[in-house]
Amino acid sequence: MRLFNIRSIFLIILLVLSVALYFFTEARYAALLIILLLLIIISAFVIAFLTGRTLKVSMNAPVRGIQGELAHVAIKVENKGIFPIFLCRIVTILTNMLTDEKDEATHGLSVGRKKTGSVEFSLTEKRCGCISVDLGELRVSDPLGLISVKPKVLEIDKTDGRIYYMPKAAETVMLPEDLTSYDMESYKYSPLKSGSDPSEIFDIRE
């Protein structure tokens, strides 16, 4: 289980340097810095492990999209625990089923106790085909994002969705003369170039 990131490791290194500084100089500001860093680290651990114990995640994605236009996807997170979630990060994975191209994005939100929070994002596709939208990793952390953990109990209503992109209909401009003129077989033969139409050869008219 991955707990630490670059910010938390930097904070721990700063704490070690502060302890070393206080050990060699016994300066008061070093002691105050040690106490402050310890409070931040301890509170980050407590918040990360107490929040997000029971979550319910659902995703709503459209079944059909139009080529080149935006499709909106909504992700809802229901916090069933008694503690609020200060920071919840959700990774979404977009896969083009035709070319197997993948794209990942991270979305963050906060959810109050016994409440539901939502995050929306939009995607577009220049080509027609099927785009699969999957929910990847989900983690909860403290407000500073120092310590992050996976929820122990996680209910997921829908873990994937598929958006089928259809061609965009092109607008056709029809002039009045186009609608009244002959647009099937020729009704007048060229006097300069003969054709292979039997009606022209035998002078037959319907």
Side-chain angles (χ1 to χ4, degrees):
M1 181 173 57
R2 178 171 56 86
L3 295 177
F4 304 99
N5 51 34
I6 296 178
R7 283 176 289 184
S8 58
I9 293 175
F10 174 77
L11 204 65
I12 293 174
I13 293 175
L14 185 61
L15 177 61
V16 173
L17 293 177
S18 301
V19 172
L21 180 64
Y22 179 77
F23 179 78
F24 288 108
T25 63
E26 295 185 359
R28 290 185 178 181
Y29 67 88
L32 293 176
L33 184 58
I34 292 172
I35 295 173
L36 178 61
L37 292 175
L38 284 175
L39 288 176
I40 293 175
I41 294 174
I42 293 174
S43 61
F45 266 102
V46 172
I47 291 174
F49 280 95
L50 287 181
T51 60
R53 306 288 288 186
T54 306
L55 298 180
K56 183 178 180 181
V57 182
S58 60
M59 183 177 65
N60 184 17
V63 178
R64 182 176 299 178
I66 303 298
Q67 177 187 6
E69 296 185 0
L70 293 177
H72 303 282
V73 180
I75 301 175
K76 292 184 179 181
V77 178
E78 182 181 355
N79 180 19
K80 296 184 176 181
I82 59 175
F83 297 101
I85 300 174
F86 294 96
L87 182 58
C88 177
R89 288 192 173 97
I90 305 173
V91 176
T92 55
I93 305 172
L94 307 178
T95 307
N96 189 311
M97 304 300 291
L98 180 62
T99 61
D100 203 30
E101 296 176 349
K102 295 182 182 293
D103 187 20
E104 293 187 3
T106 302
H107 314 277
L109 73 157
S110 59
V111 188
R113 57 184 299 270
K114 301 290 185 180
K115 292 185 178 180
T116 301
S118 63
V119 59
E120 296 184 1
F121 64 96
S122 302
L123 61 136
T124 183
E125 181 61 37
K126 296 181 180 179
R127 293 166 290 186
C128 298
C130 178
I131 302 297
S132 176
V133 184
D134 301 289
L135 293 180
E137 188 179 40
L138 189 148
R139 304 184 75 89
V140 294
S141 63
D142 61 287
L144 299 178
L146 300 175
I147 308 297
S148 62
V149 296
K150 289 183 178 180
K152 289 187 176 181
V153 180
L154 182 62
E155 297 180 24
I156 301 180
D157 277 354
K158 185 179 181 183
T159 57
D160 60 65
R162 293 192 174 186
I163 305 175
Y164 295 91
Y165 278 90
M166 300 299 180
K168 185 176 182 179
E171 183 179 356
T172 303
V173 179
M174 298 294 293
L175 300 176
E177 52 268 23
D178 295 333
L179 300 176
T180 57
S181 62
Y182 290 88
D183 59 353
M184 299 295 290
E185 297 180 355
S186 297
Y187 67 97
K188 185 177 182 181
Y189 301 115
S190 173
L192 302 177
K193 185 177 180 181
S194 61
S196 59
D197 190 348
S199 63
E200 178 185 4
I201 297 173
F202 298 102
D203 196 18
I204 298 174
R205 292 290 187 270
E206 293 181 357

